[in-house]
Amino acid sequence: MHSFLSRANTLFAFTITVLAVLTTGVFVSTFFEEYRGTVSIGAVRPIVKHMTDFSANRKKNDLGVLQLTLDMDLNPLFDWNVKQLFLYLVAEYVTPANTLNQVVLWDKIVRRGEEARLSFHEIATKYYFWDDGEHLRSNNVTLSLNWNIISNAGRLMHVRANGSTSFVFPDQYITSRTASPKPSGQQ
Amino acid sequence: MHWSRKLINRLLRYAIVVSTLLMLWKSLVLATNCSRPILVVLSSDGYSFYNLGDLFFVTNYPADPIRTGDVVVFRIEGRFIPIVHRVIRVHEREDGYVKFLTKGDGSQVDDRGLYPVGQLWLEREQIVGKVKGYLPYLGLFVILLSNLPLVDRLLSGVLA
Protein backbone atom coordinates (compact mmCIF):
# COMPACT_ATOMS: atom_id res chain seq x y z
CA MET A 1 0.00 0.00 0.00
CA HIS A 2 2.76 2.41 0.88
CA SER A 3 5.49 0.60 -0.95
CA PHE A 4 8.16 2.59 -2.69
CA LEU A 5 6.76 1.79 -6.10
CA SER A 6 3.22 2.91 -5.32
CA ARG A 7 4.49 6.16 -3.83
CA ALA A 8 6.70 6.80 -6.83
CA ASN A 9 3.77 6.10 -9.11
CA THR A 10 1.48 8.53 -7.25
CA LEU A 11 4.16 11.19 -7.23
CA PHE A 12 4.77 10.77 -10.95
CA ALA A 13 1.07 10.94 -11.80
CA PHE A 14 0.66 14.06 -9.67
CA THR A 15 3.64 15.77 -11.28
CA ILE A 16 2.32 15.07 -14.75
CA THR A 17 -1.11 16.39 -13.80
CA VAL A 18 0.31 19.60 -12.34
CA LEU A 19 2.47 20.17 -15.40
CA ALA A 20 -0.50 19.58 -17.68
CA VAL A 21 -2.65 22.08 -15.80
CA LEU A 22 0.15 24.67 -15.83
CA THR A 23 0.69 24.20 -19.56
CA THR A 24 -3.02 24.58 -20.26
CA GLY A 25 -3.09 27.67 -18.06
CA VAL A 26 -0.16 29.20 -19.90
CA PHE A 27 -1.82 28.47 -23.24
CA VAL A 28 -5.23 29.82 -22.28
CA SER A 29 -3.95 32.95 -20.56
CA THR A 30 -2.12 34.16 -23.66
CA PHE A 31 -4.51 32.94 -26.32
CA PHE A 32 -5.94 36.37 -27.16
CA GLU A 33 -2.69 38.31 -26.99
CA GLU A 34 -1.89 40.10 -30.25
CA TYR A 35 1.81 40.88 -29.87
CA ARG A 36 1.77 44.06 -31.93
CA GLY A 37 4.58 46.55 -32.08
CA THR A 38 6.23 49.29 -34.09
CA VAL A 39 9.65 49.30 -35.66
CA SER A 40 11.56 51.63 -37.87
CA ILE A 41 13.09 50.32 -41.09
CA GLY A 42 15.29 52.20 -43.51
CA ALA A 43 16.49 51.04 -46.92
CA VAL A 44 19.82 52.60 -47.79
CA ARG A 45 21.36 52.91 -51.27
CA PRO A 46 19.39 50.29 -53.20
CA ILE A 47 20.98 49.20 -56.50
CA VAL A 48 20.29 46.43 -59.01
CA LYS A 49 22.83 44.12 -60.59
CA HIS A 50 22.32 41.63 -63.41
CA MET A 51 24.28 38.48 -62.72
CA THR A 52 24.24 34.72 -63.12
CA ASP A 53 22.49 33.05 -60.23
CA PHE A 54 24.59 29.96 -59.58
CA SER A 55 22.42 28.90 -56.66
CA ALA A 56 19.36 28.67 -58.87
CA ASN A 57 18.78 28.21 -62.58
CA ARG A 58 22.23 29.44 -63.65
CA LYS A 59 20.65 32.10 -65.79
CA LYS A 60 21.10 35.82 -65.47
CA ASN A 61 18.68 37.20 -62.89
CA ASP A 62 18.39 40.55 -61.17
CA LEU A 63 20.15 40.91 -57.85
CA GLY A 64 19.08 43.72 -55.55
CA VAL A 65 21.68 45.10 -53.13
CA LEU A 66 20.87 47.46 -50.28
CA GLN A 67 21.80 48.22 -46.70
CA LEU A 68 19.34 48.15 -43.83
CA THR A 69 18.87 50.43 -40.86
CA LEU A 70 16.63 48.88 -38.22
CA ASP A 71 15.42 50.08 -34.84
CA MET A 72 13.10 48.19 -32.55
CA ASP A 73 12.22 47.58 -28.92
CA LEU A 74 10.91 44.07 -28.40
CA ASN A 75 10.70 43.98 -24.61
CA PRO A 76 6.88 44.43 -24.47
CA LEU A 77 6.46 41.26 -26.54
CA PHE A 78 8.01 38.85 -24.05
CA ASP A 79 5.32 37.51 -21.75
CA TRP A 80 5.43 34.27 -19.79
CA ASN A 81 4.47 32.20 -22.79
CA VAL A 82 7.12 33.50 -25.18
CA LYS A 83 10.22 31.35 -25.45
CA GLN A 84 11.79 33.00 -28.49
CA LEU A 85 11.09 35.52 -31.19
CA PHE A 86 12.04 34.80 -34.76
CA LEU A 87 12.37 38.14 -36.56
CA TYR A 88 12.38 38.29 -40.33
CA LEU A 89 12.45 41.18 -42.77
CA VAL A 90 10.45 40.55 -45.95
CA ALA A 91 10.74 42.42 -49.24
CA GLU A 92 7.49 42.28 -51.18
CA TYR A 93 7.07 43.42 -54.78
CA VAL A 94 5.23 42.76 -58.05
CA THR A 95 6.75 41.90 -61.41
CA PRO A 96 5.26 41.21 -64.83
CA ALA A 97 6.29 37.57 -64.45
CA ASN A 98 4.96 37.01 -60.92
CA THR A 99 2.06 38.80 -59.25
CA LEU A 100 3.43 38.16 -55.78
CA ASN A 101 7.05 37.95 -54.72
CA GLN A 102 8.32 37.74 -51.17
CA VAL A 103 11.98 37.44 -50.27
CA VAL A 104 13.39 37.27 -46.76
CA LEU A 105 16.40 39.57 -46.57
CA TRP A 106 17.33 39.32 -42.92
CA ASP A 107 16.38 37.29 -39.88
CA LYS A 108 17.36 36.98 -36.26
CA ILE A 109 16.50 34.82 -33.29
CA VAL A 110 15.95 36.68 -30.03
CA ARG A 111 15.67 34.40 -27.02
CA ARG A 112 14.03 35.35 -23.75
CA GLY A 113 16.58 37.14 -21.63
CA GLU A 114 18.70 38.37 -24.53
CA GLU A 115 18.99 42.02 -25.46
CA ALA A 116 15.63 43.00 -26.95
CA ARG A 117 16.29 46.60 -27.88
CA LEU A 118 17.93 46.22 -31.28
CA SER A 119 19.47 48.85 -33.49
CA PHE A 120 21.38 48.23 -36.69
CA HIS A 121 22.93 50.95 -38.82
CA GLU A 122 23.39 50.32 -42.54
CA ILE A 123 24.04 46.60 -42.25
CA ALA A 124 24.24 44.39 -45.32
CA THR A 125 21.29 42.09 -45.99
CA LYS A 126 21.82 38.61 -44.58
CA TYR A 127 20.55 36.87 -47.70
CA TYR A 128 20.85 37.67 -51.37
CA PHE A 129 17.93 39.52 -52.90
CA TRP A 130 17.57 37.49 -56.11
CA ASP A 131 14.54 38.07 -58.26
CA ASP A 132 12.97 35.15 -60.10
CA GLY A 133 13.65 36.88 -63.39
CA GLU A 134 14.91 40.32 -64.32
CA HIS A 135 12.32 42.83 -63.18
CA LEU A 136 13.83 44.68 -60.25
CA ARG A 137 14.71 47.90 -62.04
CA SER A 138 12.31 50.74 -61.18
CA ASN A 139 10.39 48.33 -59.00
CA ASN A 140 8.61 49.59 -55.90
CA VAL A 141 9.52 47.26 -53.03
CA THR A 142 7.89 47.20 -49.60
CA LEU A 143 10.01 46.14 -46.63
CA SER A 144 8.23 44.91 -43.54
CA LEU A 145 9.47 43.35 -40.34
CA ASN A 146 7.56 40.37 -38.98
CA TRP A 147 8.00 38.25 -35.92
CA ASN A 148 7.11 34.66 -35.26
CA ILE A 149 6.09 34.23 -31.65
CA ILE A 150 7.46 30.91 -30.47
CA SER A 151 5.60 30.05 -27.32
CA ASN A 152 6.15 27.49 -24.63
CA ALA A 153 2.76 26.00 -25.51
CA GLY A 154 0.24 27.34 -27.98
CA ARG A 155 -0.18 28.78 -31.42
CA LEU A 156 2.74 29.67 -33.63
CA MET A 157 1.76 33.24 -34.48
CA HIS A 158 3.16 35.46 -37.19
CA VAL A 159 2.70 39.18 -36.65
CA ARG A 160 3.62 42.01 -38.98
CA ALA A 161 5.03 45.02 -37.17
CA ASN A 162 3.77 48.53 -37.88
CA GLY A 163 6.29 50.66 -39.68
CA SER A 164 6.87 49.15 -43.11
CA THR A 165 8.73 51.24 -45.59
CA SER A 166 8.91 51.31 -49.38
CA PHE A 167 11.64 52.22 -51.79
CA VAL A 168 12.17 52.15 -55.54
CA PHE A 169 15.11 50.54 -57.23
CA PRO A 170 17.03 52.65 -59.80
CA ASP A 171 16.18 52.11 -63.45
CA GLN A 172 19.74 51.21 -64.52
CA TYR A 173 21.90 48.26 -63.67
CA ILE A 174 25.14 48.80 -61.82
CA THR A 175 27.96 47.00 -63.57
CA SER A 176 31.35 46.53 -62.04
CA ARG A 177 32.69 49.26 -64.27
CA THR A 178 30.53 52.08 -62.91
CA ALA A 179 31.24 53.46 -59.46
CA SER A 180 28.67 52.74 -56.70
CA PRO A 181 26.40 55.74 -56.12
CA LYS A 182 27.55 58.00 -53.29
CA PRO A 183 25.29 58.63 -50.28
CA SER A 184 25.02 62.27 -51.23
CA GLY A 185 22.55 61.19 -53.88
CA GLN A 186 24.08 60.75 -57.30
CA GLN A 187 21.00 58.85 -58.50
CA MET B 1 -21.09 -17.90 -19.84
CA HIS B 2 -19.32 -20.06 -22.32
CA TRP B 3 -15.62 -19.26 -22.64
CA SER B 4 -16.00 -18.43 -26.33
CA ARG B 5 -18.65 -15.80 -25.57
CA LYS B 6 -16.39 -14.21 -22.98
CA LEU B 7 -13.58 -14.16 -25.48
CA ILE B 8 -15.69 -12.54 -28.20
CA ASN B 9 -16.97 -10.02 -25.66
CA ARG B 10 -13.46 -9.05 -24.69
CA LEU B 11 -12.27 -8.85 -28.30
CA LEU B 12 -15.19 -6.62 -29.23
CA ARG B 13 -14.47 -4.25 -26.37
CA TYR B 14 -10.87 -3.89 -27.45
CA ALA B 15 -12.00 -3.39 -31.04
CA ILE B 16 -14.33 -0.57 -29.98
CA VAL B 17 -11.50 1.25 -28.19
CA VAL B 18 -9.11 0.86 -31.09
CA SER B 19 -11.62 1.85 -33.73
CA THR B 20 -12.73 4.91 -31.73
CA LEU B 21 -9.15 6.13 -31.53
CA LEU B 22 -8.68 5.44 -35.22
CA MET B 23 -11.86 7.32 -36.12
CA LEU B 24 -10.79 10.28 -33.97
CA TRP B 25 -7.49 10.39 -35.79
CA LYS B 26 -9.09 10.17 -39.23
CA SER B 27 -11.59 12.90 -38.30
CA LEU B 28 -8.69 15.11 -37.34
CA VAL B 29 -7.07 14.40 -40.70
CA LEU B 30 -10.29 15.46 -42.42
CA ALA B 31 -10.81 18.54 -40.27
CA THR B 32 -7.32 19.87 -40.87
CA ASN B 33 -7.16 18.74 -44.51
CA CYS B 34 -3.73 17.41 -43.73
CA SER B 35 -2.45 13.86 -43.91
CA ARG B 36 -0.42 14.30 -40.72
CA PRO B 37 -2.10 16.80 -38.41
CA ILE B 38 0.07 15.97 -35.42
CA LEU B 39 3.80 15.50 -35.77
CA VAL B 40 6.38 14.42 -33.25
CA VAL B 41 9.81 16.00 -33.55
CA LEU B 42 12.47 13.34 -34.00
CA SER B 43 15.57 15.50 -34.32
CA SER B 44 16.55 19.11 -33.91
CA ASP B 45 19.43 21.23 -35.11
CA GLY B 46 21.30 23.57 -32.87
CA TYR B 47 19.34 26.78 -33.35
CA SER B 48 15.82 25.49 -33.87
CA PHE B 49 13.11 26.32 -31.44
CA TYR B 50 12.00 22.72 -31.20
CA ASN B 51 13.51 19.85 -29.25
CA LEU B 52 13.15 16.09 -29.34
CA GLY B 53 9.68 15.01 -28.33
CA ASP B 54 7.78 18.20 -29.09
CA LEU B 55 4.44 18.07 -30.83
CA PHE B 56 3.48 20.16 -33.83
CA PHE B 57 -0.11 20.79 -34.89
CA VAL B 58 -0.31 21.07 -38.64
CA THR B 59 -3.11 22.27 -40.93
CA ASN B 60 -3.34 22.43 -44.69
CA TYR B 61 -6.25 24.67 -45.67
CA PRO B 62 -6.17 25.80 -49.31
CA ALA B 63 -7.69 29.16 -48.29
CA ASP B 64 -4.74 29.78 -45.96
CA PRO B 65 -1.91 30.72 -48.32
CA ILE B 66 1.68 29.91 -47.51
CA ARG B 67 3.82 33.02 -47.17
CA THR B 68 7.38 33.76 -46.10
CA GLY B 69 8.06 33.13 -42.46
CA ASP B 70 5.62 30.24 -42.23
CA VAL B 71 6.98 27.00 -40.83
CA VAL B 72 5.92 24.25 -43.23
CA VAL B 73 6.10 20.48 -43.30
CA PHE B 74 7.11 19.07 -46.65
CA ARG B 75 7.93 15.71 -48.16
CA ILE B 76 10.75 15.00 -50.57
CA GLU B 77 10.31 12.05 -52.94
CA GLY B 78 12.27 9.12 -51.74
CA ARG B 79 12.29 10.22 -48.10
CA PHE B 80 9.75 8.89 -45.66
CA ILE B 81 10.26 11.40 -42.88
CA PRO B 82 8.89 14.89 -43.60
CA ILE B 83 11.01 17.97 -43.02
CA VAL B 84 9.89 20.98 -41.01
CA HIS B 85 11.53 24.21 -42.19
CA ARG B 86 10.68 27.86 -42.75
CA VAL B 87 9.70 29.44 -46.06
CA ILE B 88 12.10 32.21 -47.12
CA ARG B 89 10.98 32.94 -50.68
CA VAL B 90 7.61 32.89 -52.41
CA HIS B 91 6.95 33.58 -56.10
CA GLU B 92 3.38 33.40 -57.29
CA ARG B 93 2.28 33.76 -60.91
CA GLU B 94 -0.91 35.26 -62.18
CA ASP B 95 -2.31 31.85 -63.09
CA GLY B 96 -2.01 30.74 -59.49
CA TYR B 97 1.13 28.62 -59.83
CA VAL B 98 3.32 29.27 -56.81
CA LYS B 99 6.75 28.07 -55.81
CA PHE B 100 8.67 28.25 -52.52
CA LEU B 101 12.15 28.06 -51.16
CA THR B 102 12.75 26.87 -47.61
CA LYS B 103 15.58 26.98 -45.12
CA GLY B 104 16.18 25.59 -41.67
CA ASP B 105 16.52 28.28 -39.01
CA GLY B 106 19.92 27.11 -37.90
CA SER B 107 21.32 26.70 -41.39
CA GLN B 108 23.33 29.22 -43.38
CA VAL B 109 22.19 27.82 -46.73
CA ASP B 110 18.79 27.15 -48.16
CA ASP B 111 17.28 23.72 -48.65
CA ARG B 112 18.18 23.31 -52.33
CA GLY B 113 20.68 20.68 -51.25
CA LEU B 114 17.82 18.67 -49.77
CA TYR B 115 15.51 18.86 -52.76
CA PRO B 116 15.90 16.15 -55.42
CA VAL B 117 18.57 16.78 -58.04
CA GLY B 118 17.36 19.31 -60.59
CA GLN B 119 14.57 20.63 -58.41
CA LEU B 120 15.09 24.25 -57.38
CA TRP B 121 11.75 25.09 -55.77
CA LEU B 122 9.12 23.46 -53.65
CA GLU B 123 5.65 23.15 -55.10
CA ARG B 124 2.34 23.31 -53.28
CA GLU B 125 1.67 19.58 -53.62
CA GLN B 126 4.86 18.70 -51.79
CA ILE B 127 3.87 20.71 -48.76
CA VAL B 128 1.97 18.61 -46.23
CA GLY B 129 0.85 21.59 -44.17
CA LYS B 130 1.65 24.66 -42.09
CA VAL B 131 2.61 24.40 -38.44
CA LYS B 132 0.01 26.24 -36.41
CA GLY B 133 0.60 25.18 -32.82
CA TYR B 134 3.12 23.63 -30.55
CA LEU B 135 3.20 21.60 -27.35
CA PRO B 136 6.45 20.65 -25.63
CA TYR B 137 7.55 17.19 -24.49
CA LEU B 138 4.29 15.32 -25.13
CA GLY B 139 5.73 13.38 -28.01
CA LEU B 140 8.37 11.70 -25.85
CA PHE B 141 5.80 9.08 -24.91
CA VAL B 142 5.16 8.30 -28.58
CA ILE B 143 8.89 8.02 -29.27
CA LEU B 144 9.35 5.64 -26.37
CA LEU B 145 6.43 3.56 -27.59
CA SER B 146 7.69 3.49 -31.16
CA ASN B 147 10.90 1.89 -29.98
CA LEU B 148 8.91 -1.30 -29.59
CA PRO B 149 8.92 -2.86 -33.07
CA LEU B 150 5.34 -4.12 -32.88
CA VAL B 151 3.96 -0.68 -32.04
CA ASP B 152 6.11 0.88 -34.69
CA ARG B 153 4.81 -1.39 -37.41
CA LEU B 154 1.24 -0.94 -36.25
CA LEU B 155 1.53 2.84 -36.31
CA SER B 156 3.11 2.90 -39.76
CA GLY B 157 0.40 0.66 -41.09
CA VAL B 158 -2.34 2.84 -39.69
CA LEU B 159 -0.85 6.18 -40.60
CA ALA B 160 0.46 5.39 -44.08
Side-chain angles (χ1 to χ4, degrees):
Chain A
M1 174 62 190
H2 296 294
S3 69
F4 174 72
L5 231 56
S6 75
R7 289 182 199 218
N9 183 31
T10 314
L11 195 61
F12 180 66
F14 187 61
T15 312
I16 297 289
T17 314
V18 167
L19 285 176
V21 167
L22 274 179
T23 308
T24 316
V26 157
F27 167 58
V28 165
S29 59
T30 55
F31 189 73
F32 296 108
E33 182 64 51
E34 291 209 345
Y35 300 106
R36 297 219 182 277
T38 310
V39 304
S40 101
I41 309 172
V44 179
R45 290 189 294 276
I47 57 173
V48 187
K49 297 190 183 186
H50 192 60
M51 307 173 42
T52 314
D53 185 3
F54 287 105
S55 69
N57 54 8
R58 295 182 176 242
K59 290 207 281 243
K60 285 211 163 204
N61 289 325
D62 275 6
L63 175 68
V65 182
L66 66 151
Q67 283 78 48
L68 303 165
T69 297
L70 304 166
D71 261 294
M72 62 195 86
D73 182 13
L74 304 167
N75 276 314
L77 294 175
F78 280 98
D79 61 16
W80 53 88
N81 197 17
V82 176
K83 194 163 71 165
Q84 250 188 43
L85 286 181
F86 186 86
L87 310 168
Y88 53 104
L89 185 82
V90 182
E92 230 173 282
Y93 59 98
V94 180
T95 66
N98 292 310
T99 51
L100 171 73
N101 299 277
Q102 291 184 329
V103 182
V104 172
L105 299 181
W106 175 89
D107 57 35
K108 183 167 171 54
I109 296 178
V110 179
R111 295 182 189 82
R112 177 207 287 283
E114 285 180 0
E115 178 58 57
R117 212 171 288 151
L118 304 175
S119 177
F120 301 102
H121 184 66
E122 297 193 11
I123 55 171
T125 57
K126 197 167 171 191
Y127 304 110
Y128 287 119
F129 189 163
W130 284 110
D131 180 30
D132 177 38
E134 35 194 21
H135 304 285
L136 282 186
R137 280 171 298 171
S138 308
N139 204 321
N140 191 336
V141 179
T142 306
L143 289 181
S144 59
L145 189 77
N146 306 271
W147 41 74
N148 186 195
I149 307 284
I150 295 166
S151 36
N152 285 315
R155 296 175 299 166
L156 223 61
M157 285 183 67
H158 295 83
V159 180
R160 174 165 287 198
N162 297 318
S164 341
T165 184
S166 298
F167 66 91
V168 183
F169 274 118
D171 59 358
Q172 299 285 331
Y173 287 134
I174 302 280
T175 63
S176 48
R177 267 166 273 143
T178 58
S180 318
K182 300 249 188 331
S184 51
Q186 196 198 310
Q187 238 42 340
Chain B
M1 226 195 297
H2 195 251
W3 63 266
S4 60
R5 177 170 274 191
K6 275 195 194 167
L7 180 64
I8 293 175
N9 210 319
R10 183 173 276 192
L11 279 177
L12 281 179
R13 267 183 287 153
Y14 291 159
I16 286 182
V17 171
V18 170
S19 54
T20 309
L21 288 174
L22 190 59
M23 284 316 291
L24 278 176
W25 175 257
K26 291 294 176 186
S27 313
L28 193 61
V29 168
L30 274 181
T32 59
N33 195 35
C34 171
S35 59
R36 303 209 169 192
I38 303 183
L39 273 186
V40 179
V41 174
L42 292 175
S43 67
S44 65
D45 22 352
Y47 292 97
S48 325
F49 58 89
Y50 45 85
N51 307 301
L52 180 70
D54 293 339
L55 279 183
F56 281 145
F57 295 96
V58 186
T59 65
N60 191 24
Y61 304 122
D64 182 16
I66 296 175
R67 297 290 173 240
T68 42
D70 290 342
V71 180
V72 296
V73 180
F74 60 93
R75 269 276 200 68
I76 305 281
E77 303 161 8
R79 289 185 200 217
F80 178 64
I81 299 188
I83 304 175
V84 184
H85 276 172
R86 200 181 287 270
V87 174
I88 59 167
R89 274 176 75 176
V90 175
H91 293 288
E92 182 168 337
R93 280 209 309 244
E94 204 167 332
D95 59 8
Y97 174 74
V98 58
K99 55 191 187 188
F100 313 95
L101 181 61
T102 59
K103 183 177 86 71
D105 284 351
S107 168
Q108 300 284 53
V109 297
D110 55 39
D111 285 345
R112 284 191 169 131
L114 288 176
Y115 302 162
V117 176
Q119 183 180 338
L120 291 172
W121 304 91
L122 264 190
E123 304 189 338
R124 187 65 182 85
E125 301 78 48
Q126 293 169 304
I127 294 185
V128 170
K130 250 204 295 198
V131 178
K132 282 294 177 65
Y134 169 83
L135 267 184
Y137 306 126
L138 270 182
L140 282 173
F141 187 56
V142 174
I143 294 180
L144 281 175
L145 265 188
S146 72
N147 282 331
L148 301 169
L150 179 62
V151 177
D152 194 32
R153 264 180 259 137
L154 211 72
L155 278 178
S156 335
V158 159
L159 298 176

